[in-house]
Amino acid sequence: MKKKFLLFLFCLFTVLHTHAQTKVIKSVSNGISTSLHSIIQDGSLVGYLTFTELEKASKDSFNYAITILDENLNDIGKMTFREQKLDLRDVAFDEDLLCLAYIKSDVLGNTPHHKISYKRAAKKGYVAFFAQFINLQGEIVKTFEKKADVDIYHALKQLENGIRPLKQDIQLKNIPGKGFACFYGDRTKRPLLTFSTTGEKVMERQVKEKASSYYLHIAGEDIYLLTHKADDEFQTGYTLFGYSGTTNSPTLKLPLRDKKKNAMDILGFGNDPATGRLFISGVVGKSPNWSNNMNRTYDISRGAYKGVYKIDISSAQKGGVNTVYNYWADSAKKTISTEGLFKRANAHIVPRPSFRDYSGNTYFLGSQLAAKKRKVGIIAAMITLPLISPPGILFATGALGYSKINGAMLIQMDTTGNLSYLDRLPMIPSRKTVSPWSNFKDMDNCSFYSLNNPETRVPYLIIKTEKDIVIYNVQDKKVVRKIAKKLGNVTTSIYPAKDGHIIISEYDEKKQSTKLSIEAV
């Protein structure tokens, strides 16, 4: 597939003689806006696209330019076209076709900011979902447009604050060898569209499930829609819907709750790197109405999580689901207390991301937390409460207890469901507070994500701390690289790139330019 995409790029555009994996992007001049988009195929990044709105061509149309970069940031070339006001929302590639999904309108972004102008525009204006399909020869071979049910006046007002008109933004994915799937939601409907590899509409489903958020995912030829909503009975909850074949209704409905109806939070969601099938992993809450807001450290230390789980989904059918739970209370060797204390680390894990390796092992990463209440101090504070000052002194000196983050913890669930403590990652700075009821988010300002190198089949972790970015080899349990976030006038950030690689973005404040480079981990 990757070779086919690169062939597509070279056939589509005039080749430019650029071979480096480094690119410098300077600020765009006034009146011209450019956005950068990833081109995704089968869940992997295969290239980049810049979409530029040029000058106005007529009263209600603009000139646009599309520039394609390959996965190594080489410029391949550019194409131009004219259309009404467009907002590019997503891009995907399959077989010999590039699909671009837009919000299209004749009034949004093209109407003076005035109440009277808004009212006039609301009478005649429209908003639509719009898709373009570009072939190997660089031709727009097919377009598709579907009017959306939008309150134009309200949408114009919301646009002043950067809020787009659709209730659910456009999501676009490729179905390997079959075409594309697209989902969005307007005021009254939530279409789930599929298109062929020639750009023809195959079918349109209407998603009936009402939720606060939706996530579109493809595994094999099956289409999945993960929903999250406020449930009347349990206040919160995820449900996975699967669509197989050409049926209008879901062939799979999977509420994410354990056998006792306890809520389950999702930390890992994607395709298994070895099988290509969907997997989900995360934590099991302590009750049906539990919400994983990770706020109070003491709650975490007293068993806010009952355990962890993994779900393997081989098909969008009820019989294709296999769920494995590992509850703290079921720890075979008593290496984990019933409240989730890992005895080897003498700490609790505050789970953040979860990921899968090529051997089928599931990993859970999170900050390593210790929190303790001192009963004598609490009793003393209650006795002296009327005096005001003594309780404050006891609190300030830590006499009531403490919370402490001491690095990060990595645990592994193997293919049979056994759980083991793997390593402590010491690069996370230790933080201690004088209260066991501290807000966890105030103590931990680190972020994590994982990636697999498909050539070596080695998983890596990218850990962003307050001052540094750390790359950690999970297999060898060691740090392979450390990058300072800020060095002089240059601010460095890291983003996912093609498989086994990262994008290093270096913004030079003095030169007002950004240097992008792709490097292997």
Side-chain angles (χ1 to χ4, degrees), residues 448-461:
F448 314 83
Y449 72 86
S450 64
L451 60 87
N452 280 296
N453 188 320
E455 296 180 1
T456 61
R457 298 201 162 196
V458 173
Y460 291 85
L461 288 171

Side-chain angles (χ1 to χ4, degrees), residues 148-437:
D149 184 3
V150 172
D151 183 332
I152 300 294
Y153 182 83
H154 181 69
L156 287 165
K157 294 288 289 182
Q158 292 285 79
L159 197 61
E160 293 179 7
N161 300 317
I163 301 173
R164 292 183 170 85
L166 297 177
K167 291 188 69 174
Q168 301 296 332
D169 201 4
I170 297 170
Q171 299 179 56
L172 176 69
K173 308 286 184 183
N174 81 293
I175 307 171
K178 298 294 182 180
F180 306 91
C182 184
F183 172 82
Y184 67 93
D186 60 23
R187 188 164 53 174
T188 55
K189 295 181 179 179
R190 292 168 293 276
L192 177 57
L193 301 158
T194 53
F195 299 93
S196 70
T197 53
T198 60
E200 297 287 345
K201 188 181 85 167
V202 176
M203 68 179 304
E204 177 179 342
R205 299 176 173 96
Q206 288 298 329
V207 177
K208 297 179 180 179
E209 183 76 4
K210 293 182 179 180
S212 57
S213 63
Y214 302 78
Y215 177 71
L216 178 66
H217 187 80
I218 306 296
E221 295 182 11
D222 293 330
I223 301 171
Y224 296 93
L225 202 60
L226 178 68
T227 67
H228 184 248
K229 69 174 183 178
D231 189 278
D232 292 337
E233 183 180 359
F234 298 118
Q235 303 303 314
T236 185
Y238 289 99
T239 303
L240 180 71
F241 294 89
Y243 299 85
S244 182
T246 57
T247 56
N248 280 307
S249 301
T251 53
L252 172 68
K253 181 179 180 180
L254 180 66
L256 265 66
R257 296 189 178 276
D258 70 359
K259 294 179 180 179
K260 294 183 179 180
K261 302 298 181 182
N262 292 311
M264 293 158 60
D265 193 28
I266 297 175
L267 302 175
F269 186 93
N271 290 348
D272 185 297
T275 66
R277 293 299 179 183
L278 177 61
F279 83 91
I280 307 174
S281 54
V283 292
V284 181
K286 63 181 180 181
S287 65
N289 59 356
W290 170 82
S291 177
N292 186 14
N293 53 23
M294 297 190 300
N295 281 335
R296 299 208 314 171
T297 54
Y298 183 71
D299 291 341
I300 296 169
S301 69
R302 297 297 295 172
Y305 312 114
K306 293 176 68 85
V308 294
Y309 73 90
K310 66 170 184 173
I311 304 175
D312 289 281
I313 303 172
S314 59
S315 66
Q317 305 285 344
K318 188 176 181 179
V321 179
N322 180 43
T323 305
V324 176
Y325 302 98
N326 192 307
Y327 295 102
W328 309 142
D330 298 334
S331 175
K333 298 180 181 179
K334 303 300 178 182
T335 56
I336 309 171
S337 75
T338 56
E339 294 177 338
L341 178 75
F342 283 76
K343 296 181 179 179
R344 184 177 163 188
N346 194 30
H348 296 78
I349 185 172
V350 186
R352 303 289 284 283
S354 177
F355 57 97
R356 181 75 61 89
D357 67 13
Y358 278 90
S359 300
N361 299 306
T362 305
Y363 298 86
F364 300 87
L365 173 72
S367 297
Q368 194 163 277
L369 173 71
K372 186 175 182 180
K373 284 198 301 186
R374 293 191 171 102
K375 293 182 179 179
V376 174
I378 293 172
I379 293 171
M382 293 176 66
I383 293 172
T384 59
L385 189 61
L387 301 178
I388 301 176
S389 294
I393 295 172
L394 291 170
F395 182 88
T397 56
L400 304 184
Y402 68 88
S403 298
K404 183 179 181 181
I405 290 176
N406 186 24
M409 184 191 302
L410 183 65
I411 60 177
Q412 179 195 72
M413 180 188 282
D414 64 21
T415 54
T416 61
N418 293 319
L419 202 64
S420 59
Y421 172 90
L422 279 190
D423 197 13
R424 173 181 174 268
L425 283 61
M427 73 286 302
I428 309 299
S430 295
R431 294 183 177 221
K432 187 174 181 178
T433 70
V434 295
S435 170
W437 298 280

